[in-house]
Amino acid sequence: MSWITPVPGGCVLTVKACPRANRTEVSGIDAEWVRVRIQAPPVDGKANAELVHFFARQFDLPKRAVEILSGDTGRLKRIKLCGVTAEQCKAVLSRDHGHTG
């Protein structure tokens, strides 16, 4: 499963961001990435901030435990979740979005 990578202290997700959505939500899990619809526009870092806030809420983490490693200005991003194992992440996203892939 290439959309999630275990790393020491957490896991790294590959996320495809789709800004200017009606609400922020995971809209699907593909083989290569997790597709996340983001309500905020991609202006002045608003979409990135919303993405960090969204994953912090999903996994009950402080915002400082969610880090965008790459893709600040693009749609494809790598996001590190500190304190969340790959298995925990997969379980939460699969439960909420009906995909185990």
Side-chain angles (χ1 to χ4, degrees):
M1 178 171 23
S2 59
W3 61 268
I4 187 167
T5 307
V7 296
C11 63
V12 175
L13 305 178
T14 302
V15 173
K16 186 166 189 178
C18 303
R20 292 193 175 104
N22 289 333
R23 64 183 184 153
T24 300
E25 64 184 351
V26 173
S27 62
I29 300 174
D30 298 323
E32 301 295 319
W33 56 66
V34 176
R35 187 180 310 269
V36 180
R37 295 165 34 118
I38 304 168
Q39 189 172 13
V43 178
D44 299 328
K46 289 178 183 178
N48 286 342
E50 176 67 20
L51 194 59
V52 167
H53 183 70
F54 173 73
F55 279 109
R57 274 194 328 260
Q58 286 288 305
F59 294 96
D60 196 26
L61 298 169
K63 285 191 237 177
R64 68 180 180 277
V66 180
E67 179 183 356
I68 297 178
L69 300 176
S70 64
D72 276 348
T73 59
R75 287 182 182 242
L76 208 54
K77 302 174 186 299
R78 288 177 38 90
I79 298 175
K80 182 176 181 182
L81 303 176
C82 297
V84 177
T85 67
E87 292 78 21
Q88 290 169 326
C89 181
K90 180 182 172 188
V92 168
L93 295 181
S94 296
R95 177 192 70 221
D96 292 346
H97 307 288
H99 183 78
T100 57

